[in-house]
């Protein structure tokens, strides 16, 4: 390998750090992706450059380009931290922003086969994510009632049990004097989270219905695959709001005794069936 080869490898990593850029839109990027896939020596150099920058290479392909994830110690990981600091100053709000990201991922790819299928495209809405989280909160409340643990959790308690009361007490919408969505409302928090995912190349906005509609990208699918084994994701899916066992279920309807008062109107919940 020559210094020119190393420079090309570094350029490929640089392309990978531009989340909205795809090989189909850049001839040089497409050529470097092809070279990575066909030249093992070049691939090793490019992967080493990425590793030196604290990046994990998730995939190199025409559909996703060079998809990378930043390790905790990488200088590139600061962007998410910056998002958290900008999103909210209150610790409880930061927790809700994290829950919004977790719920968006779970709702976009609710079944294992969705994550495994490279051709699968998830579709979510702001109001749909909010309704999904509120259903999850009801399940958590029911579980706490059944076990006799329906008391206010400590604000710093781990896991989803600490979140359901905070979330359900927060207004779903609200509005400013000029009719904009309140940033501290749950749909305001979700809207900000999904906008961040758009900026990061993980989602594409497709419309304004139901608070904003979005479709997933190959890069987001790879990121969610990487986090699918996390305890928080498993805990959320285990609530059964989005059953993932038989590949035919959708979001469950509210219980018959539930008047649905806390669900957002026109939530636009996506249904995933085998059809």
């Amino acid at each position: 390998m020559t210094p020119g080869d190393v420079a090309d490898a570094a350029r490929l990593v640089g392309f990978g750090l531009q989340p909205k850029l795809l090989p189909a839109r850049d001839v040089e990027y497409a050529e470097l992706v092809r070279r990575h896939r066909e030249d093992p020596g070049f691939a090793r150099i490019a992967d080493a450059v990425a590793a030196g920058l604290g990046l994990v290479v998730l995939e190199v392909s025409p559909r996703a380009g060079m998809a990378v994830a930043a390790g905790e110690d990488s200088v590139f990981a600061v962007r998410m931290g910056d998002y958290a600091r900008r999103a909210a100053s209150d610790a409880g709000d930061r927790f809700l922003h994290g829950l919004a990201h977790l719920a968006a991922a779970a709702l976009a790819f609710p079944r294992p086969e969705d994550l495994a299928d490279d051709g699968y495209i998830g579709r979510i809405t702001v109001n749909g994510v909010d309704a999904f989280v509120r259903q999850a909160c009801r399940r958590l409340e029911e579980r706490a009632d059944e076990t006799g643990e329906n008391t206010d959790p400590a604000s710093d308690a781990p896991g989803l049990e600490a979140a359901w009361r905070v979330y359900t007490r927060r207004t779903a919408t609200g509005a400013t004097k000029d009719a904009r969505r309140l940033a501290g409302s749950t749909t305001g928090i979700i809207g900000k989270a999904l906008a961040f995912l758009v900026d990061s190349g993980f989602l594409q906005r497709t419309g304004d219905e139901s608070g904003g509609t979005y479709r997933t990208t190959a890069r987001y699918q790879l990121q969610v695959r990487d986090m699918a084994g996390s305890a928080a994701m498993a805990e959320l899916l285990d609530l059964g709001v989005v059953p993932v066992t038989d590949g035919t279920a959708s979001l469950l309807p509210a219980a018959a005794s539930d008047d649905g008062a806390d669900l957002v109107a026109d939530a636009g919940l996506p249904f995933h069936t085998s059809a």
Side-chain angles (χ1 to χ4, degrees):
M1 285 288 163
T2 68
D5 294 323
V6 176
D8 286 343
R11 187 176 295 277
L12 175 58
V13 175
F15 280 129
L17 289 169
Q18 300 178 59
K20 293 185 178 181
L21 182 63
L22 295 174
R25 299 175 184 172
D26 189 287
V27 174
E28 183 183 8
Y29 191 8
E31 173 58 24
L32 291 172
V33 166
R34 182 201 61 77
R35 187 176 174 190
H36 185 284
R37 292 165 64 84
E38 297 178 1
D39 185 341
F42 179 74
R44 286 193 295 271
I45 293 295
D47 293 352
V49 170
L53 294 172
L55 301 171
V56 177
V57 178
L58 301 177
E59 180 177 294
V60 180
S61 67
R63 76 180 188 113
M66 187 175 212
V68 295
E72 291 183 5
D73 297 330
S74 172
V75 65
F76 298 103
V78 73
R79 190 177 180 206
M80 189 62 188
D82 181 57
Y83 161 80
R85 288 191 295 273
R86 286 187 286 110
S89 57
D90 179 78
D93 278 5
R94 288 197 296 271
F95 191 82
L96 294 181
H97 276 272
L99 183 58
H101 278 280
L102 177 65
L107 193 54
F109 302 102
R111 303 173 303 180
E113 54 265 44
D114 300 334
L115 277 179
D117 181 2
D118 287 347
Y120 180 85
I121 296 175
R123 292 176 173 81
I124 59 176
T125 70
V126 168
N127 292 351
V129 173
D130 185 65
F132 166 53
V133 177
R134 290 185 182 276
Q135 285 181 300
C137 288
R138 280 198 296 273
R139 291 297 178 87
L140 287 166
E141 183 175 15
E142 292 168 1
R143 190 167 69 183
D145 282 335
E146 291 170 359
T147 59
E149 298 174 355
N150 197 350
T151 57
D152 283 326
S155 60
D156 59 350
L160 297 178
E161 295 288 359
W164 67 266
R165 286 187 182 274
V166 180
Y167 199 97
T168 53
R169 287 171 177 168
R170 191 68 59 93
T171 178
T173 54
T176 61
K177 291 182 179 179
D178 57 358
R180 288 178 300 167
R181 198 162 47 201
L182 282 175
S185 67
T186 55
T187 54
I189 287 171
I190 292 166
K192 190 174 184 69
L194 299 190
F196 173 81
L197 293 174
V198 170
D199 290 341
S200 301
F202 295 142
L203 295 178
Q204 294 175 345
R205 188 178 177 101
T206 58
D208 298 326
E209 299 83 5
S210 301
T213 60
Y214 302 82
R215 57 179 285 173
T216 61
T217 65
R219 185 177 290 259
Y220 190 45
Q221 186 181 48
L222 293 169
Q223 290 281 347
V224 176
R225 280 179 189 170
D226 194 49
M227 67 172 283
S230 71
M233 176 74 86
E235 187 177 357
L236 184 58
L237 291 176
D238 282 347
L239 292 175
V241 179
V242 180
V244 296
T245 53
D246 63 4
T248 63
S250 67
L251 284 175
L252 297 180
S257 60
D258 191 339
D259 61 8
D262 58 349
L263 286 177
V264 178
D266 301 319
L269 300 177
F271 286 80
H272 302 275
T273 71
S274 58

